[in-house]
Amino acid sequence: MDIAQLRTVLHVAELGSLSKAAERLHIAQPALSRQVRLLEQELGTRLFSRHGRGMQLTEAGQELLLHARQIMQELEAIRSLPFGNDDVPLRGEASIGMPPTVAAILAVPLARAFRRAHPEARLRIVSAYSAFLIDWLRRGDLDIAILYESQPLRWLRASPLLEEELFLVGPAESRLDPSVPVTAKRLADLPMILSGSRHGMRETVDNLAQTAGVTANVVLEADSLSVLKDMVQSGLGYTVLPASPIREDIRRGHLRIAPLVDPRAGWRLMLTVPVDRRPSRLLDYLERSVVTETAALVQAGTWEGRLPNGD
């Protein structure tokens, strides 16, 4: 077996399709198919089950995937050793997950900084709610993630990134006003549209309502920021969000907001890294860049929040 075969297994497993893996790797599909077939012949077992919707790892394939990831991480660690100038662009792959409210603000500046510094490396940015991100971190599908603060997980190293104020968000016809606070008790009266109960955003709102002595009146759930906003804009209910990712919707009059008080509503975003992550200069750069770009966005007024140093 060789590195190319292991890399093929990783990409096919992630994408669930030979054609998609071939497109990503810029290699003809028959060549990738032959790599998988030769590896299966050498190991004497099937690594993938083929079906109409693509390819899925077998139990043996899952076992191989764990070792393949470790091997690729070792190779990346070798490439990242400080043999030369630290300013030389690095190669390899890095991945980061973030909630949709964060991705709407941070994804483009972070990608721009990463591409400028390391044009030969590849960055994968995943936008999803926290329950999915935690699962992907645990499985090794993500290197780093930005999560809402919750109960600490012993296998994650977490550091504060930003504190955001939360607002009650309603449709254009609502009477919400940024200068007129709304008590958190209203979460029990208004029809609320929130993310699913497994996610950090929902946990924050549920805890807020509980502190106010009520239960949020959840009438709809949406695990997509765009769907959630569309539902609110159409008049189906209200939600709770920070102001920055919906600033344009507010400016255009599609959404209205009001501060939540008694108690004051907010959440803390944490930059999290698995404690067993193998050291890599590329991942270290990505981690530093998240902090740097977040601070720049806050100082420019693009991202409303308070940094850990109090700015």
Side-chain angles (χ1 to χ4, degrees):
M1 73 181 68
D2 58 32
I3 296 301
Q5 291 173 326
L6 296 180
R7 185 178 291 111
T8 295
V9 170
L10 287 170
H11 287 284
V12 174
E14 177 187 345
L15 299 173
S17 165
L18 267 173
S19 60
K20 291 180 181 178
E23 182 179 352
R24 172 184 284 183
L25 296 171
H26 305 291
I27 299 174
Q29 182 174 335
L32 287 191
S33 180
R34 183 172 181 273
Q35 288 181 5
V36 173
R37 186 171 64 255
L38 289 175
L39 187 56
E40 289 180 326
Q41 290 174 356
E42 180 176 350
L43 297 176
T45 185
R46 292 179 61 191
L47 301 175
F48 292 94
S49 59
R50 282 79 168 172
H51 49 77
R53 298 184 303 277
M55 300 176 66
Q56 185 174 4
L57 285 169
T58 62
E59 186 174 343
Q62 293 280 2
E63 184 68 22
L64 174 67
L65 185 66
L66 295 176
H67 293 283
R69 282 175 175 157
Q70 292 175 4
I71 291 170
M72 301 309 292
Q73 287 172 350
E74 291 286 358
L75 287 174
E76 179 57 32
I78 292 173
R79 291 192 186 100
S80 300
L81 289 174
F83 292 128
N85 192 326
D86 284 343
D87 295 330
V88 174
L90 301 173
R91 292 182 294 174
E93 300 179 6
S95 59
I96 180 170
M98 56 187 74
T101 57
V102 175
I105 305 169
L106 181 61
V108 171
L110 179 64
R112 185 180 293 120
F114 189 92
R115 290 289 298 155
R116 184 170 56 244
H118 303 293
E120 298 181 35
R122 189 176 73 178
L123 175 64
R124 181 166 63 97
I125 298 178
V126 178
S127 173
Y129 284 126
S130 55
F132 300 126
L133 298 178
I134 291 172
D135 183 47
W136 295 332
L137 276 174
R138 183 184 290 110
R139 287 162 41 187
D141 294 332
L142 289 175
D143 298 311
I144 299 171
I146 298 171
L147 301 172
Y148 306 113
E149 185 177 32
S150 59
Q151 294 297 321
L153 300 173
R154 299 177 64 180
W155 55 277
L156 282 179
R157 170 172 59 85
S159 55
L161 180 66
L162 186 71
E163 292 183 8
E164 291 184 291
E165 183 178 1
L166 297 178
F167 296 83
L168 182 65
V169 182
E173 61 270 20
S174 69
R175 298 182 178 180
L176 298 182
D177 188 318
S179 63
V180 181
V182 174
T183 65
K185 287 183 179 293
R186 292 294 310 281
L187 298 176
D189 305 325
L190 297 170
M192 299 302 300
I193 307 172
L194 302 174
S195 61
S197 59
R198 297 173 57 236
H199 304 303
M201 180 186 294
R202 173 66 173 273
E203 181 182 348
T204 298
V205 178
D206 284 344
N207 289 341
L208 175 68
Q210 184 178 7
T211 302
V214 298
T215 300
N217 176 31
V218 181
V219 297
L220 289 168
E221 293 184 347
D223 289 348
S224 163
L225 178 61
S226 61
V227 172
L228 189 151
K229 290 196 303 180
D230 288 345
M231 287 181 173
V232 174
Q233 288 180 19
S234 66
L236 290 172
Y238 295 73
T239 192
V240 175
L241 289 171
S244 296
I246 57 172
R247 175 180 292 149
E248 187 62 20
D249 302 281
I250 298 170
R251 186 188 69 80
R252 294 180 178 180
H254 297 162
L255 295 173
R256 297 179 65 88
I257 65 171
L260 281 165
V261 295
D262 299 328
R264 197 80 178 179
W267 61 34
R268 178 183 290 183
L269 295 170
M270 310 294 289
L271 182 58
T272 63
V273 181
V275 295
D276 62 350
R277 190 192 77 184
R278 296 182 182 277
S280 159
R281 287 169 61 202
L282 188 62
L283 293 180
D284 287 343
Y285 171 81
L286 176 58
E287 192 174 347
R288 293 195 307 271
S289 292
V290 170
V291 176
T292 301
E293 294 302 318
T294 298
L297 290 167
V298 171
Q299 290 162 6
T302 305
W303 199 350
E304 298 175 20
R306 187 173 67 173
L307 298 170
N309 59 12
D311 294 342

